[in-house]
Amino acid sequence: ANNLEEFNVSGCTEIKGNVSVFEQASNLKVFNVSGCTEIKGELPVHLLKVILDGKAKFDGCGKGAFTLPPEFGTIIEDRTKIDLSSLGKALASVPALCDVSVFEQANNLEEFNVSGCTEIKGELPRNLIKLIGEGKAKFDGCPGPFTLPTSLGDAASTIRKIDLSSL
């Protein structure tokens, strides 16, 4: 699996399995399991990078079929763009990993999209509040609930506008 660059079983509804088999797929660039309701599991790091790059499709996969790995926070530390919208409802509700505060570790974030991820909720970190104010964060179809932090800290000096009406 080390040489695998593309995996597409879109529409193959009879395929069953766990995404952990892609743990060693370090060259994976494209991943499409749209319509595959029997594929599930914890997303391996290499696959997560493909998802974050917007090169993966999970449309029509089972609700709550996939979970983020415990090391997710360290994976996103240096990312400038996070897009988990392809997971949508397929992202499982794991309290520590579906809490929006996990994204606080992404210090260089410039774009953020979790549209359709119905299980994302929690206290909005300062970096996301700033992106929301700049119109660079998308939460479409995320019912929350979301809460504000008790303090905006240093972020308060750089934020000129906060409009959370889209949440």
Side-chain angles (χ1 to χ4, degrees):
N2 285 346
N3 295 326
L4 184 65
E5 292 183 12
E6 189 170 330
F7 184 77
N8 185 347
V9 291
S10 176
C12 300
T13 57
E14 298 301 314
I15 290 184
K16 297 178 181 183
N18 192 303
V19 290
S20 65
V21 299
F22 296 99
E23 185 64 47
Q24 302 301 317
S26 57
N27 291 320
L28 197 59
K29 293 178 179 42
V30 178
F31 188 81
N32 187 345
V33 292
S34 296
C36 301
T37 57
E38 297 299 320
I39 294 179
K40 45 189 75 144
E42 183 181 291
L43 296 163
V45 172
H46 299 300
L47 181 52
L48 194 53
K49 289 177 181 176
V50 174
I51 295 166
L52 291 168
D53 290 338
K55 304 284 186 183
K57 295 185 181 180
F58 295 87
D59 305 324
C61 289
K63 182 177 180 182
F66 303 102
T67 58
L68 298 173
E71 65 272 22
F72 181 68
T74 55
I75 293 168
I76 61 170
E77 279 179 340
D78 297 324
R79 306 248 350 153
T80 56
K81 178 181 177 182
I82 291 177
D83 187 343
L84 295 177
S85 62
S86 65
L87 284 168
K89 293 177 182 175
L91 184 60
S93 177
V94 176
L97 298 172
C98 280
D99 191 305
V100 75
S101 65
V102 73
F103 299 105
E104 186 169 23
Q105 295 179 51
N107 298 319
N108 300 319
L109 211 49
E110 296 171 8
E111 289 180 59
F112 183 77
N113 186 355
V114 290
S115 295
C117 296
T118 57
E119 300 301 324
I120 298 278
K121 55 183 132 271
E123 184 178 295
L124 292 165
R126 294 175 192 98
N127 60 340
L128 288 188
I129 292 172
K130 183 175 184 280
L131 288 178
I132 292 167
E134 295 171 353
K136 296 178 181 176
K138 296 179 183 174
F139 288 85
D140 302 331
C142 300
F146 298 101
T147 57
L148 293 173
T150 54
S151 165
L152 290 177
D154 295 339
S157 64
T158 60
I159 297 174
R160 301 218 181 274
K161 172 185 169 186
I162 295 178
D163 181 353
L164 304 178
S165 61
S166 65
L167 297 180

